[in-house]
Amino acid sequence: MATSTSTTNIMLAIFEKKTVSLDLYRPLRHYISFTYSDREAQNLEDDLQTLRDLRSDLENPAKQPSPSARRDLLQSYFRALCVIETRFPISPDRDHVNSVTFTWYDSFKQKQKAAQQNIHLEKAAILFNLGAVYSQIGLSYDRSSVEGRRQAVQAFIGAAGAFAYLRDNAATKASIGTSTTLDVSVECAGMLERLMLAQAQECVFENTIAKGSTPGVCAKISRQVGLYYEEASAALSLAPLSQHFDKAWIAHVQLKASLFYAEACYRYGIELHEKEEVAEEIARLRSGISALTEAKKNSKGAAAQLLDALSKLEANINRNLERAVKENDRVYLMRVPSPSSLPPLPAFSMVKPLAMSEVLDASKEKLFASLVPDSSAKALSRYTEMVDDIIRTQAEKLQQGSELTRVRLKEMDLPDSLLALEGHFTLPADLKEDVEAVQISGGPAGLEAELQQLRDLRQVNQELLVQTEELLQKEAREDAQFRSQFGTRWTRPQSSTLTKNMQDRLNRYAGNLKQAAESDTKIERSVREHSSLMSILDRRPIESALPTLERPIMSLDANEDAIVGTLKQSLRHLETLGAQRAGLEDMLKEMKRKDDILPKLMTSTGSYEDLFKKELSKYDHICEDITQNIEAQEQLLMQIQAQNDDFSAIFNLEDHKASREKCYKQIQAAIAKYREIKENVSEGLKFYVTLQDAITNVKQQCSDYVMTRNIQCREMIEDVQRSMAGLSLQDNNSGSYNSGYPPVSQQPHQRPSPPPPAAGQNMSQTPIYQPSDQPAPSTGYNYHHPPYGSAQQQVSPSPYQVSSTPSYVRPPPPQLHPPASHEYGQPAYPGWRGPYYNAPPAQQTGPYPPPPYTAPGPYPPHSQTGYYRPQ
């Protein structure tokens, strides 16, 4: 085993098996001379020399300048071996090529070796080395680039194809006898095929990440990588491979399996987060963390690069998990399913083993072509077609027999009726899955808690509306009080003209809330009205709700037990016949796999037809067994039909079927009603959460508006006081005018403190007031655009502007827009249009955002259906 690392991964390659020097030239030439003639041996001298050179080059890998040249050599030599197999019988028999012994060492335990006097070990070893060389070619590419990874994929699927071909065509034959090695066994070849496919899929995954595919696509490809590694790991953990490989090698495969499963969970979680399916996202991420934690326990001997990748992935998953949990706790409030209840992660394979049948096809090889008559090849093809026809015909008979049994038993409602009599009830699979899904989601018993959530959320929204309206009403009352007190001197716009947009939105939300309350009432009424119908879904197990098949109250001959016992015995006999059919089909396939008459065709001197008849006769006993099985089944089904008629009559089976179907329909109706109510409740919860965000937004805007109006109020009071103080100076001695407010001179250095800023406001923002050594700006009424009214409203400059710089510096008010915009308010916090609203941003008329009081809110959502449809 060899390893290779890049900036992104670490992968494995397989070492070749080693052999000993062997001369095929002399034994084969002697066989040709003895079996055919010296002249034939002389004519085939070039072919024999070619074969000698191929074997010699095989024994010395250093002769090949590159892995690709080594691969081509192995393929050419394997095709030559296929030619030799059909023309030279190599075995210990006296009349065969009996002086050739092939010896090969185990690739993973190089002290173990196998020696056989047949060509099967040689072919298996060559196929193993072909897969090993393909894997080495894959590691030779620069897998830090897209093109390098693409080339590596082709090499690894070539390796997988070689090991698959070894498993299917040579491993079994090479493992016959006592002298064999485990590396060419069926188990090892299958494991290596999975490993090579895993590495090929891993390269595809890295290219998918590099080109920026969606998280869902990346998750599917990553999951398939993990599945391939899991299959390889499963084979390594079982005998006979579990004690044959190095522990570090096994740890590498296991760690990769866990790593890519967790990677799939991570990528799939990103896709779920985009869909706002936060509950499943949390469950998937937790499953990934669990896999990584378990992998760390068995990571002894694994490469440090893999452990580092594991740590980075774990950190990424933990970060996303923490974010998802917070969002679920604060916004979604969804129930997190257990990882065991989740369906398997979707997977998609982008690779498959290279079809080696064409690469290794020896039909066009010219080596020793003169030794095999063309008539022999044609005879073999004809014989194969005859065998295939027998197999196909018998397999169809077996399949028809099994299908007939299934249909007839379903018509007789067996064995379900017998199970019902014993108290073992079953639901149809699809209905069972629907009931389990309902029970997992809480069932009808859990609806009350969700209805309470609706009531609570409705109350919260109602209270928010009241609080917001009270803010506006209080400000309007104060404005009216000052307007009444100061008369024409109180020149700022009335509150009702500025708060119309906000009041309209509050009225609309109030209407929505009223309509939603009516919808809630409908849902609660539906729950009460259908509680008896849906109560069946709370039965655990659900089968307990099915009607029982009762024994007859009165019987004349009391033979119920005998009828039931006879029917059960017949069903057991029918099951036995079905098992026999499966065994007969396997016997047919195994017989065909072992059926090789080529040596007999090549040595036969009689008629091919006689040979075919003799060889095909070995299938006769299986065909006869199949015929007898089908006939016995027909007789037994007729017997079961009669017995079932007696059983149905005594136990009134028709009434039981009718009551059972009625129960099925009741369960289906209950599921449909539950889903309808559940959907309406979910829609209501989403509605209230969205409405709460919208009302909270309006409340924040109202708070900003009230705070700004309070500041304006204090400024205007000061202006009025100054104006009135100026009038009083005209009468220096009278002192007869009293405005009801303390004069300006009584407050030379301070002013009432503004209210504290709303949540999220930044007090460090530049105030709208200028320092004392600068000309004072307008006091809040000389605006280019009205702060709350429509865009067409024009407000004249205030007659109460201060004519000179005040003798003190005013403290900065809570955060407002910069003076250049002359607008009140700003969003309560950055990004107040949260990620759950997709309303387009309002157009800006200047360098600063427009006031939030005229901007349309994110509520209502773009679409609402069902019970909760805004007005």
Side-chain angles (χ1 to χ4, degrees):
M1 176 194 70
T3 61
S4 174
T5 60
S6 69
T7 58
T8 57
N9 57 23
I10 178 170
M11 293 186 179
L12 304 177
I14 313 302
F15 288 131
E16 287 187 59
K17 291 171 67 67
K18 295 182 179 180
T19 186
V20 297
S21 297
L22 177 66
D23 180 23
L24 292 175
Y25 177 89
R26 295 181 183 277
L28 296 187
R29 196 181 194 286
H30 175 74
Y31 179 83
I32 295 172
S33 298
F34 180 79
T35 305
Y36 298 94
S37 65
D38 290 336
R39 181 180 181 84
E40 189 69 31
Q42 184 66 33
N43 292 338
L44 294 174
E45 184 69 26
D46 291 340
D47 291 349
L48 290 169
Q49 187 60 45
T50 299
L51 182 62
R52 170 189 279 178
D53 293 340
L54 287 173
R55 190 55 162 81
S56 177
D57 292 341
L58 175 72
E59 297 164 2
N60 298 279
K63 290 184 178 181
Q64 289 80 55
S66 66
S68 298
R70 182 71 175 172
R71 175 199 61 199
D72 296 340
L73 170 66
L74 290 168
Q75 292 174 353
S76 298
Y77 183 61
F78 184 84
R79 290 192 291 266
L81 290 177
C82 293
V83 172
I84 293 173
E85 182 180 18
T86 60
R87 293 160 175 82
F88 301 94
I90 301 176
S91 76
D93 293 349
R94 184 179 63 179
D95 295 334
H96 293 176
V97 181
N98 52 22
S99 61
V100 173
T101 300
F102 298 101
T103 303
W104 288 91
Y105 292 88
D106 193 293
S107 176
F108 305 102
K109 302 285 186 181
Q110 298 188 4
K111 293 183 179 180
Q112 299 179 9
K113 69 176 181 178
Q116 295 184 15
Q117 282 184 283
N118 64 66
I119 204 168
H120 303 310
L121 177 62
E122 184 82 345
K123 291 177 67 177
I126 297 305
L127 288 173
F128 182 95
N129 282 359
L130 180 60
V133 169
Y134 264 117
S135 70
Q136 295 168 16
I137 293 174
L139 260 66
S140 68
Y141 291 117
D142 177 17
R143 287 176 286 110
S144 63
S145 65
V146 173
E147 183 59 28
R149 289 191 291 267
R150 187 177 294 113
Q151 294 173 333
V153 168
Q154 298 303 316
F156 286 131
I157 65 174
F163 289 123
Y165 197 89
L166 166 63
R167 178 197 61 206
D168 297 336
N169 297 278
T172 301
K173 296 178 181 179
S175 300
I176 296 176
T178 57
S179 182
T180 184
T181 54
L182 192 57
D183 55 351
V184 293
S185 65
V186 173
E187 294 83 0
C188 187
M191 182 276 296
L192 293 175
E193 178 209 17
R194 298 288 99 180
L195 176 62
M196 293 299 109
L197 287 176
Q199 297 190 156
Q201 182 87 0
E202 185 175 349
C203 292
V204 173
F205 171 73
E206 292 170 358
N207 275 349
T208 305
I209 295 296
K211 67 182 181 181
S213 297
T214 63
V217 172
C218 295
K220 292 180 180 179
I221 296 178
S222 174
R223 181 63 190 120
Q224 188 60 54
V225 178
L227 289 175
Y228 283 140
Y229 275 117
E230 287 172 12
E231 291 172 358
S233 177
L236 286 170
S237 63
L238 299 176
L241 302 183
S242 57
Q243 302 299 323
H244 195 72
F245 287 86
D246 184 78
K247 298 298 182 183
W249 210 80
I250 297 175
H252 172 90
V253 176
Q254 292 176 342
L255 192 59
K256 282 272 186 140
S258 300
L259 187 65
F260 280 96
Y261 171 78
E263 182 75 29
C265 292
Y266 171 68
R267 301 284 174 181
Y268 195 66
I270 296 175
E271 183 182 54
L272 291 172
H273 193 82
E274 293 175 353
K275 297 178 180 179
E276 298 188 8
E277 298 176 6
V278 179
E280 185 178 352
E281 177 193 3
I282 294 172
R284 294 292 186 187
L285 294 178
R286 286 176 177 171
S287 180
I289 288 293
S290 177
L292 293 180
T293 303
E294 188 66 23
K296 287 182 179 180
K297 299 177 182 178
N298 303 315
S299 61
K300 184 177 181 181
Q305 188 174 355
L306 280 181
L307 296 176
D308 182 61
L310 185 147
S311 298
K312 291 180 179 178
L313 178 58
E314 186 177 24
N316 291 337
I317 294 177
N318 278 323
R319 183 180 63 251
N320 286 6
L321 178 60
E322 181 179 358
R323 177 192 63 186
V325 170
K326 288 182 178 179
E327 292 182 0
N328 191 46
D329 292 342
R330 296 176 179 176
V331 180
Y332 298 100
L333 305 176
M334 299 174 67
R335 176 183 173 274
V336 179
S338 64
S340 60
S341 67
L342 297 176
L345 284 171
F348 186 75
S349 176
M350 298 291 291
V351 298
K352 62 180 181 179
L354 179 66
M356 303 299 293
S357 56
E358 296 182 3
V359 177
L360 302 177
D361 182 21
S363 61
K364 298 181 180 180
E365 285 292 319
K366 297 181 179 180
L367 286 176
F368 309 108
S370 60
L371 292 184
V372 180
D374 189 52
S375 57
S376 298
K378 292 181 179 178
L380 178 62
S381 176
R382 183 184 174 195
Y383 174 79
T384 302
E385 291 177 358
M386 296 170 70
V387 172
D388 289 343
D389 184 64
I390 293 174
I391 300 297
R392 182 170 53 254
T393 302
Q394 298 304 315
E396 289 177 355
K397 291 176 65 175
L398 291 171
Q399 293 174 1
Q400 291 173 359
S402 299
E403 181 65 17
L404 176 63
T405 300
R406 186 188 67 80
V407 173
R408 294 284 295 277
L409 289 178
K410 186 175 182 180
E411 292 174 351
M412 292 183 283
D413 198 27
L414 290 173
D416 291 345
S417 57
L418 286 175
L419 294 174
L421 181 62
E422 297 173 353
H424 304 296
F425 308 103
T426 58
L427 279 176
D430 54 346
L431 191 58
K432 174 79 170 177
E433 292 176 359
D434 290 343
V435 173
E436 290 177 349
V438 168
Q439 292 179 346
I440 288 173
S441 65
L447 289 177
E448 181 57 36
E450 298 188 16
L451 292 176
Q452 185 59 44
Q453 290 183 16
L454 283 178
R455 290 190 286 267
D456 293 343
L457 285 173
R458 185 172 70 243
Q459 180 65 27
V460 169
N461 280 276
Q462 188 65 48
E463 292 175 356
L464 281 174
L465 270 178
V466 171
Q467 294 169 6
T468 306
E469 290 176 348
E470 288 178 350
L471 282 175
L472 297 180
Q473 293 170 2
K474 180 181 178 183
E475 191 278 331
R477 287 195 302 268
E478 292 176 353
D479 180 70
Q481 177 182 352
F482 286 118
R483 190 175 304 280
S484 174
Q485 180 174 351
F486 293 112
T488 58
R489 295 179 183 275
W490 196 259
T491 58
R492 70 170 184 172
Q494 294 185 4
S495 298
S496 59
T497 62
L498 301 180
T499 61
K500 183 178 184 303
N501 289 335
M502 290 183 287
Q503 192 63 52
D504 288 345
R505 289 170 67 186
L506 291 175
N507 293 337
R508 186 168 69 253
Y509 294 163
N512 294 150
L513 197 58
K514 179 180 178 182
Q515 183 180 3
E518 296 174 356
S519 299
D520 294 348
T521 303
K522 293 179 182 179
I523 295 176
E524 293 178 358
R525 183 168 59 250
S526 180
V527 172
R528 290 193 302 271
E529 293 174 352
H530 299 94
S531 59
S532 58
L533 170 66
M534 296 187 295
S535 62
I536 194 173
L537 300 178
D538 285 326
R539 299 282 290 272
R540 295 176 185 269
I542 187 63
E543 288 80 5
S544 63
L546 297 178
T548 58
L549 181 60
E550 302 292 346
R551 291 179 174 271
I553 300 176
M554 182 178 298
S555 176
L556 297 178
D557 48 8
N559 62 345
E560 299 90 352
D561 292 339
I563 292 176
V564 171
T566 303
L567 183 56
K568 288 182 178 179
Q569 184 177 359
S570 297
L571 289 176
R572 285 193 291 269
H573 188 193
L574 188 65
E575 186 177 356
T576 302
L577 290 177
Q580 289 177 358
R581 286 196 300 275
L584 290 171
E585 187 173 4
D586 292 340
M587 289 175 61
L588 276 175
K589 294 178 180 179
E590 182 67 15
M591 184 174 290
K592 178 190 175 183
R593 189 179 67 82
K594 295 181 177 180
D595 193 4
D596 182 13
I597 67 167
L598 181 59
K600 296 179 181 179
L601 285 173
M602 296 177 64
T603 57
S604 175
T605 57
S607 170
Y608 285 145
E609 295 299 327
D610 293 339
L611 179 61
F612 291 163
K613 185 177 180 180
K614 178 182 178 181
E615 291 297 320
L616 290 175
S617 64
K618 60 188 174 217
Y619 293 93
D620 290 345
H621 73 280
I622 297 182
C623 295
E624 184 178 353
D625 291 343
I626 292 174
T627 301
Q628 292 177 356
N629 182 281
I630 299 298
E631 292 176 352
Q633 176 181 272
E634 280 293 334
Q635 295 294 328
L636 185 57
L637 285 173
M638 294 175 61
Q639 178 181 332
I640 291 174
Q641 180 67 62
Q643 295 169 352
N644 189 64
D645 290 342
D646 295 339
F647 174 76
S648 300
I650 293 177
F651 287 89
N652 199 11
L653 197 57
E654 291 301 323
D655 289 347
H656 172 72
K657 290 181 181 178
S659 60
R660 185 182 59 189
E661 290 299 324
K662 181 179 179 181
C663 187
Y664 288 167
K665 291 180 180 179
Q666 180 184 355
I667 294 175
Q668 291 171 348
I671 291 173
K673 179 54 64 176
Y674 174 82
R675 287 176 173 172
E676 176 188 338
I677 294 174
K678 185 77 171 178
E679 181 179 355
N680 291 335
V681 170
S682 298
E683 186 178 349
L685 291 174
K686 293 178 182 178
F687 170 84
Y688 283 126
V689 170
T690 305
L691 182 61
Q692 182 178 348
D693 290 342
I695 297 176
T696 302
N697 178 31
V698 174
K699 181 180 179 183
Q700 181 60 50
Q701 295 176 15
C702 292
S703 298
D704 293 344
Y705 161 77
V706 170
M707 179 185 67
T708 304
R709 292 278 286 181
N710 288 338
I711 295 174
Q712 292 176 346
C713 179
R714 288 192 296 271
E715 292 178 352
M716 180 163 283
I717 289 174
E718 292 177 1
D719 290 343
V720 171
Q721 288 176 344
R722 291 190 187 94
S723 177
M724 297 175 67
L727 292 176
S728 66
L729 290 176
Q730 296 176 6
D731 188 359
N732 293 329
N733 299 319
S734 64
S736 60
Y737 176 75
N738 185 2
S739 65
Y741 293 90
V744 176
S745 61
Q746 295 178 7
Q747 303 173 3
H749 299 294
Q750 61 182 0
R751 57 178 296 176
S753 299
Q761 288 188 326
N762 185 3
M763 292 301 296
S764 63
Q765 182 175 336
T766 304
I768 64 172
Y769 302 102
Q770 301 296 327
S772 59
D773 57 347
Q774 298 291 334
S778 62
T779 59
Y781 295 95
N782 188 14
Y783 299 118
H784 296 293
H785 298 285
Y788 304 110
S790 62
Q792 290 77 17
Q793 181 181 359
Q794 298 295 328
V795 180
S796 60
S798 169
Y800 303 107
Q801 291 184 358
V802 180
S803 60
S804 63
T805 303
S807 61
Y808 60 89
V809 178
R810 298 177 179 176
Q815 178 185 1
L816 300 175
H817 284 294
S821 67
H822 298 289
E823 294 176 321
Y824 293 120
Q826 62 181 16
Y829 51 90
W832 62 278
R833 294 181 184 270
Y836 309 108
Y837 300 98
N838 298 321
Q843 295 182 354
Q844 298 183 7
T845 58
Y848 300 101
Y853 315 115
T854 58
Y859 177 85
H862 296 296
S863 64
Q864 289 284 342
T865 59
Y867 279 79
Y868 302 92
R869 185 184 301 278
Q871 297 175 349

